[in-house]
Amino acid sequence: MTDSAGAVADRAAAGFTARYGGRAAGRWVAPGRVNLIGEHTDYNEGFVLPFALPLHTVVAADRQDAEQWTVWSELSDETITFGADDVAEAGRVTGWGAYVAGVVWALREAGHPVPGARMAIASDVPLGSGLSSSAALESAVLAALLDLGGLELPAELQPRLAQRAENVYVGAPTGIMDQSAVIRCRAGHALFLDCRDESVEQIPFDLDAAGLTVLVIDSRAPHRHADGEYAARRRSCEAGAAALGVAALRDVGVDQLDTALAQLDDEETRRRVRHVVTEDQRVLDTVALLRAARVRDIGPLLTASHVSMRDDFEITVPEIDTAVEAALAAGALGARMTGGGFGGCVLALVEADRADAVAAAVTAAYAERGFAAPGTVPVLPGPGATRLD
Ligand code: ADP
Ligand code: MG
């Protein structure tokens, strides 16, 4: 899973030359992302705190005169071509090309004259692990098309456009977090995002200076019923908010939680509401600790978030719980599942010199339980999408 942006960028450039001849006019990079804390709070109009990963998608591109887009991705070693008709209406291009066509469609729909382009894409963001390879792809393509076309779109408006590509063109119902993180994160910081008004704040998260690292553990667990369960959680949250007479669960503070829970007569809804309300507070508490440079002290909040997801929101699976327990037993300061649940990744806050030992402990625990080996990579918060050259 590890690779530097440089190596990925070299592969994108080489792919461009092999497919199209000559050199690309430029290369644009966008990172994957991981959410430090704040799970299932986004659609409840609450808080999330993602940071950008040192895993990257790179697009090498140049313009072409025709209203045509030719795209090669090393992942499937496949070249696709689409034209103006294919981006006149959402959904005409399917498969992975939809993420690229979706960006062209969204730009045109917003009134931007998108230039035709040839693109070559390389990436080391794992697909479908919850590290947002989809937003990395959209954001790198968006950055490339904006520059190639000399188009102006302020950074604060770019996430929404990339999100529309994914929601409307691809048809995947995701929140604003992924694209916001990929586009707006800064190195050494986490991005505090208020999902109600989409305002963001850069929060210092200098793990390196603190002698810490975040170990990202890809559970490799098959996503079991993830879509249906996700929809069911959303329905529970909406039902809870309606019963409490608030616009969204974000409007219930932890100090009002006991009163709110007493008003709900369904035990399951009570647990779902308790997760969301306490999780929002854990994000706020994490932000306060990071602002005070107390990075190690966020560990217990991460672990409490996991317990809440496991017991109240009921979205973890055995592989995920095993990874968290093994990481904590091996000395992690805190550990939690990250992402929507039912698989995906775990993150553990660890002393930098313990990262290998914690990774080994998780791998050993997996072997003991007969699970397929997990992926492990130590990460530091990196920068968001940008032009490379
Ligand atoms: P995640 O964003 O968590 O990685 P998604 O299911 O949202 O998972 O997005 C994964 C999909 O995005 C892939 O199945 C593929 O269609 C597309 N994708 C992402 N990165 C690339 C890439 N470098 N080349 C081709 N397709 C990609
Ligand atoms: Mg995605």
Side-chain angles (χ1 to χ4, degrees):
M1 226 149 89
T2 47
D3 206 340
S4 70
V8 179
D10 288 349
R11 299 206 304 272
F16 186 95
T17 302
R19 292 293 144 330
Y20 312 123
R23 273 171 63 100
R27 291 182 294 182
W28 293 261
V29 62
R33 67 94 191 94
V34 70
N35 190 23
L36 182 60
I37 194 162
E39 227 60 75
H40 286 262
T41 46
D42 56 350
Y43 55 82
N44 290 297
E45 301 184 14
F47 309 111
V48 294
L49 191 62
F51 66 91
L53 294 170
L55 300 167
H56 305 95
T57 297
V58 175
V59 177
D62 73 356
R63 289 181 68 135
Q64 61 183 350
D65 291 334
E67 266 203 329
Q68 200 170 63
W69 295 269
T70 311
V71 195
W72 169 81
S73 173
E74 75 170 349
L75 270 166
S76 51
D77 193 14
E78 190 188 357
T79 307
I80 58 156
T81 298
F82 55 89
D85 282 353
D86 300 305
V87 289
E89 205 175 288
R92 289 196 178 163
V93 176
T94 55
W96 65 269
Y99 294 85
V100 181
V103 173
V104 176
W105 167 83
L107 274 167
R108 287 165 64 104
E109 209 214 20
H112 300 285
V114 189
R118 300 188 298 185
M119 300 179 232
I121 297 164
S123 179
D124 65 356
V125 186
L127 263 58
S129 291
L131 302 181
S132 218
S133 69
S134 59
L137 176 56
E138 293 147 13
S139 304
V141 167
L142 176 60
L145 291 173
L146 287 173
D147 276 355
L148 288 174
L151 309 172
E152 297 285 339
L153 183 63
E156 63 268 25
L157 300 182
Q158 292 180 21
R160 201 161 252 304
L161 192 134
Q163 185 201 12
R164 270 184 72 69
E166 184 152 348
N167 288 172
V168 184
Y169 197 98
V170 178
T174 57
I176 193 70
M177 170 168 67
D178 296 359
Q179 293 81 4
S180 297
V182 167
I183 292 170
R184 307 198 66 188
C185 276
R186 294 208 191 126
H189 290 77
L191 189 80
F192 178 35
L193 170 65
D194 181 332
C195 298
R196 172 161 277 170
D197 64 8
E198 293 177 19
S199 59
V200 301
E201 225 178 305
Q202 302 290 341
I203 307 298
F205 186 45
D206 195 345
L207 291 172
D208 205 20
L212 296 168
T213 191
V214 163
L215 186 68
V216 174
I217 302 157
D218 188 340
S219 74
R220 304 254 164 89
H223 280 262
R224 305 176 184 96
H225 318 298
D227 291 349
E229 296 284 356
Y230 177 86
R233 295 305 177 282
R234 281 189 80 136
R235 279 198 304 275
S236 288
C237 291
E238 282 158 18
L244 295 169
V246 292
L249 291 180
R250 155 19 175 326
D251 296 310
V252 182
V254 268
D255 50 337
Q256 305 160 310
L257 183 59
D258 287 344
T259 319
L261 294 181
Q263 283 173 257
L264 299 170
D265 40 44
D266 175 52
E267 169 55 25
E268 187 180 277
T269 309
R270 270 205 291 275
R271 277 185 276 128
R272 306 297 189 244
V273 168
R274 187 165 56 203
H275 166 72
V276 173
V277 172
T278 58
E279 185 77 350
D280 269 333
Q281 187 60 44
R282 282 186 289 271
V283 178
L284 298 175
D285 292 346
T286 301
V287 166
L289 287 170
L290 292 180
R291 282 200 179 113
R294 292 171 55 191
V295 188
R296 278 179 179 72
D297 294 343
I298 72 170
L301 291 167
L302 303 180
T303 306
S305 166
H306 185 76
V307 170
S308 179
M309 289 189 283
R310 185 191 64 199
D311 298 346
D312 276 348
F313 223 58
E314 299 178 281
I315 53 174
T316 69
V317 292
E319 289 88 336
I320 290 282
D321 292 330
T322 298
V324 168
E325 282 155 28
L328 291 173
L333 302 167
R336 62 182 289 272
M337 181 179 75
T338 179
F342 305 98
C345 289
V346 162
L347 61 79
L349 181 69
V350 297
E351 302 291 345
D353 58 8
R354 292 283 301 160
D356 287 348
V358 173
V362 174
T363 304
Y366 263 53
E368 211 169 286
R369 301 280 302 266
F371 299 149
T376 57
V377 57
V379 301
L380 299 173
T386 186
R387 183 172 190 156
L388 279 179
D389 51 30

Coordinates of all heavy atoms in Angstrom, one line a residue, residues 57 73 75 95-96 99 121-123 126-135 137 166, ligand 1:
T57 N -3.4 9.5 -6.1 CA -3.8 9.3 -7.5 C -3.2 10.5 -8.3 O -3.3 11.6 -7.9 CB -5.3 9.3 -7.6 OG1 -5.8 8.2 -6.8 CG2 -5.8 9.1 -9.1
S73 N -6.3 4.1 -17.4 CA -5.9 3.9 -16.0 C -5.0 2.7 -15.9 O -5.4 1.6 -16.5 CB -7.1 3.8 -15.1 OG -6.7 3.4 -13.8
L75 N -4.8 0.8 -13.5 CA -5.4 -0.2 -12.7 C -6.0 -1.3 -13.5 O -5.9 -2.5 -13.1 CB -6.5 0.5 -11.8 CG -5.9 0.9 -10.5 CD1 -6.8 1.9 -9.8 CD2 -5.5 -0.2 -9.6
G95 N -19.0 2.1 -15.2 CA -17.7 1.6 -14.7 C -16.8 2.7 -14.2 O -17.3 3.8 -13.9
W96 N -15.5 2.5 -14.1 CA -14.7 3.5 -13.5 C -14.6 4.8 -14.3 O -14.4 5.9 -13.7 CB -13.2 2.9 -13.3 CG -12.5 2.6 -14.6 CD1 -12.5 1.4 -15.2 CD2 -11.7 3.5 -15.3 NE1 -11.7 1.5 -16.3 CE2 -11.2 2.7 -16.4 CE3 -11.3 4.8 -15.2 CZ2 -10.3 3.3 -17.4 CZ3 -10.4 5.4 -16.1 CH2 -10.0 4.6 -17.2
Y99 N -16.5 8.0 -13.1 CA -15.9 9.0 -12.1 C -15.3 10.2 -12.9 O -15.3 11.3 -12.4 CB -14.9 8.4 -11.2 CG -15.6 7.3 -10.2 CD1 -15.8 6.0 -10.6 CD2 -16.0 7.7 -9.0 CE1 -16.4 5.1 -9.8 CE2 -16.6 6.8 -8.1 CZ -16.8 5.5 -8.5 OH -17.4 4.6 -7.7
I121 N -3.8 7.8 -15.8 CA -4.0 7.8 -14.4 C -3.3 6.7 -13.7 O -3.4 5.5 -14.1 CB -5.5 7.7 -14.1 CG1 -6.2 8.9 -14.6 CG2 -5.8 7.6 -12.6 CD1 -7.7 8.7 -14.8
A122 N -2.5 7.0 -12.7 CA -1.9 6.0 -11.8 C -2.2 6.3 -10.4 O -2.6 7.4 -10.0 CB -0.4 6.0 -12.0
S123 N -2.2 5.2 -9.5 CA -2.7 5.4 -8.2 C -2.1 4.4 -7.2 O -1.9 3.2 -7.7 CB -4.2 5.4 -8.1 OG -4.7 5.6 -6.8
P126 N -5.7 2.3 -2.3 CA -6.4 1.0 -2.5 C -7.9 1.3 -2.8 O -8.5 2.2 -2.2 CB -6.3 0.3 -1.2 CG -5.8 1.3 -0.2 CD -5.2 2.4 -0.9
L127 N -8.4 0.5 -3.8 CA -9.8 0.7 -4.2 C -10.8 0.1 -3.2 O -10.6 -1.1 -2.9 CB -10.0 0.1 -5.6 CG -9.9 1.0 -6.8 CD1 -8.6 1.7 -6.8 CD2 -10.2 0.2 -8.1
G128 N -11.8 0.8 -2.8 CA -12.9 0.2 -2.1 C -12.5 -0.1 -0.7 O -13.3 -0.9 0.0
S129 N -11.5 0.4 -0.1 CA -11.1 0.1 1.3 C -11.6 1.2 2.2 O -11.3 1.2 3.4 CB -9.6 0.0 1.4 OG -9.1 -1.1 0.8
G130 N -12.3 2.2 1.6 CA -12.7 3.3 2.5 C -11.7 4.4 2.6 O -11.9 5.3 3.5
L131 N -10.7 4.4 1.8 CA -9.7 5.5 1.9 C -9.9 6.5 0.8 O -9.1 7.4 0.5 CB -8.2 4.9 1.8 CG -7.9 3.9 3.0 CD1 -6.5 3.4 2.9 CD2 -8.2 4.6 4.3
S132 N -11.0 6.4 0.1 CA -11.5 7.4 -0.9 C -10.7 7.5 -2.1 O -10.4 8.6 -2.6 CB -11.7 8.7 -0.2 OG -12.8 9.3 -0.7
S133 N -10.5 6.3 -2.7 CA -9.9 6.4 -4.1 C -10.8 7.1 -5.0 O -10.3 7.7 -6.0 CB -9.6 4.9 -4.6 OG -10.8 4.2 -4.8
S134 N -12.1 7.0 -4.8 CA -13.0 7.7 -5.7 C -12.9 9.2 -5.7 O -12.8 9.8 -6.7 CB -14.5 7.3 -5.4 OG -14.8 7.6 -4.1
A135 N -12.8 9.8 -4.5 CA -12.6 11.2 -4.4 C -11.3 11.6 -4.9 O -11.1 12.7 -5.5 CB -12.9 11.7 -3.0
L137 N -9.6 10.2 -7.3 CA -9.7 10.2 -8.8 C -10.4 11.5 -9.3 O -10.0 12.2 -10.2 CB -10.4 8.9 -9.2 CG -10.7 8.8 -10.7 CD1 -9.4 8.9 -11.6 CD2 -11.4 7.4 -11.0
E166 N -20.0 12.3 -8.3 CA -20.1 11.0 -7.7 C -21.6 10.7 -7.3 O -22.1 9.6 -7.6 CB -19.3 10.9 -6.4 CG -19.3 9.5 -5.8 CD -18.0 9.1 -5.1 OE1 -17.0 9.8 -5.2 OE2 -18.1 8.1 -4.4
Ligands
ADP1 P1 -13.2 4.1 -2.1 O1 -13.5 5.5 -2.5 O2 -13.4 3.8 -0.7 O3 -11.9 3.6 -2.6 P2 -15.4 3.6 -3.9 O4 -16.3 2.4 -4.1 O5 -16.1 4.8 -3.5 O6 -14.3 3.2 -2.8 O7 -14.6 3.9 -5.2 C1 -13.9 2.9 -5.8 C2 -14.1 3.0 -7.3 O8 -13.5 4.2 -7.9 C3 -13.4 1.9 -8.1 O9 -14.2 0.7 -8.2 C4 -13.2 2.5 -9.5 O10 -14.4 2.4 -10.2 C5 -12.9 4.0 -9.1 N1 -11.5 4.3 -9.1 C6 -10.8 4.8 -8.0 N2 -9.5 5.0 -8.4 C7 -9.4 4.6 -9.6 C8 -8.2 4.6 -10.5 N3 -7.0 5.0 -10.2 N4 -8.5 4.1 -11.8 C9 -9.7 3.7 -12.2 N5 -10.7 3.7 -11.4 C10 -10.6 4.1 -10.1

